[in-house]
């Protein structure tokens, strides 16, 4: 196929493309170079500009629990250990449900004790969130076991 430029054209030349002038490029180049240069070191007047780490404002992190709640933390850790032991025995095909029953009773009794401790915690305390999630998980497992979900 042969393309004839004379056919279908209005006869007007193509519009001129605006090209930036050489001075505009030089202006941009000088501004860019000024911004990229390292800041000039000023006379030492005894103060120095803060480093990136020093520029970060101080942040106060609230403690997860008051110092007097060490007993509660230990109870929570023991309860987590009991739940982990239950999980491992539940995954073991050689462990019978009869052997798991005392462990489920222990989870239920420890959960009831920790429910009382949960009510004594302040709202917004991080320990309250952890404890409530643990208690929900443990109560669901007790319900599943008692309902017979794990009978094969």
């Amino acid at each position: 196929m042969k393309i004839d430029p004379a056919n279908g054209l209005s006869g007007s030349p193509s519009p001129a493309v605006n090209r930036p002038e050489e001075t505009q490029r030089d202006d941009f180049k000088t501004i860019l170079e000024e911004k990229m240069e390292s800041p000039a070191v000023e006379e030492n007047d005894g103060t120095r500009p803060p480093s990136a780490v020093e520029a970060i404002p101080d942040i106060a992190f609230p403690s997860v629990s008051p110092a007097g709640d060490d007993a509660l933390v230990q109870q929570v850790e023991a309860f987590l250990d009991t739940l982990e032991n239950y999980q491992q025995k539940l995954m073991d095909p050689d462990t019978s449900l009869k052997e798991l029953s005392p462990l489920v009773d222990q989870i239920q009794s420890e959960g009831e004790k920790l429910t009382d401790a949960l009510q004594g915690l302040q709202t917004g305390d991080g320990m309250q969130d952890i404890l409530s999630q643990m208690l929900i998980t443990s109560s669901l497992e007790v319900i599943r076991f008692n309902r017979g979900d794990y009978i094969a």
Side-chain angles (χ1 to χ4, degrees), residues 13-38:
S14 63
V17 178
N18 291 334
R19 293 196 169 97
E21 297 177 15
E22 194 67 32
T23 57
Q24 289 177 343
R25 280 197 289 173
D26 289 339
D27 290 342
F28 176 77
K29 184 178 179 181
T30 56
I31 292 171
L32 179 64
E33 287 174 352
E34 287 175 6
K35 295 296 181 182
M36 295 300 291
E37 288 178 2
S38 62

Side-chain angles (χ1 to χ4, degrees), residues 80-95 100 103:
L80 282 173
D81 291 339
T82 305
L83 288 174
E84 184 178 11
N85 189 17
Y86 171 75
Q87 177 191 17
Q88 290 172 352
K89 286 189 177 186
L90 192 61
M91 290 181 356
D92 185 12
D94 296 332
T95 305
L100 279 176
L103 192 57

Side-chain angles (χ1 to χ4, degrees):
M1 171 183 209
K2 185 176 180 183
I3 299 176
D4 187 9
N7 290 340
L9 293 178
S10 63
S12 63
S14 63
V17 178
N18 291 334
R19 293 196 169 97
E21 297 177 15
E22 194 67 32
T23 57
Q24 289 177 343
R25 280 197 289 173
D26 289 339
D27 290 342
F28 176 77
K29 184 178 179 181
T30 56
I31 292 171
L32 179 64
E33 287 174 352
E34 287 175 6
K35 295 296 181 182
M36 295 300 291
E37 288 178 2
S38 62
V41 179
E42 297 180 10
E43 296 282 329
N44 189 1
D45 61 351
T47 62
R48 60 181 177 88
S51 66
V53 175
E54 293 170 343
I56 298 174
D58 291 335
I59 299 173
F61 292 103
S63 63
V64 175
S65 62
D69 286 343
D70 288 337
L72 178 62
V73 172
Q74 290 175 356
Q75 286 178 342
V76 168
E77 285 182 24
F79 190 59
L80 282 173
D81 291 339
T82 305
L83 288 174
E84 184 178 11
N85 189 17
Y86 171 75
Q87 177 191 17
Q88 290 172 352
K89 286 189 177 186
L90 192 61
M91 290 181 356
D92 185 12
D94 296 332
T95 305
S96 68
L97 295 178
K98 192 173 191 177
E99 294 171 352
L100 279 176
S101 183
L103 192 57
V104 171
D105 293 338
Q106 181 183 356
I107 290 172
Q108 188 172 10
S109 65
E110 287 182 20
E112 290 171 356
K113 290 177 189 174
L114 288 174
T115 301
D116 296 334
L118 176 67
Q119 294 171 355
L121 293 175
Q122 298 175 358
T123 57
D125 189 3
M127 183 60 88
Q128 184 183 29
D129 295 335
I130 294 170
L131 192 55
S132 64
Q133 289 177 13
M134 280 181 13
L135 291 172
I136 290 170
T137 302
S138 66
S139 62
L140 286 174
E141 281 302 313
V142 168
I143 290 170
R144 286 180 187 144
F145 183 84
N146 290 334
R147 190 172 54 196
D149 288 359
Y150 299 119
I151 297 175

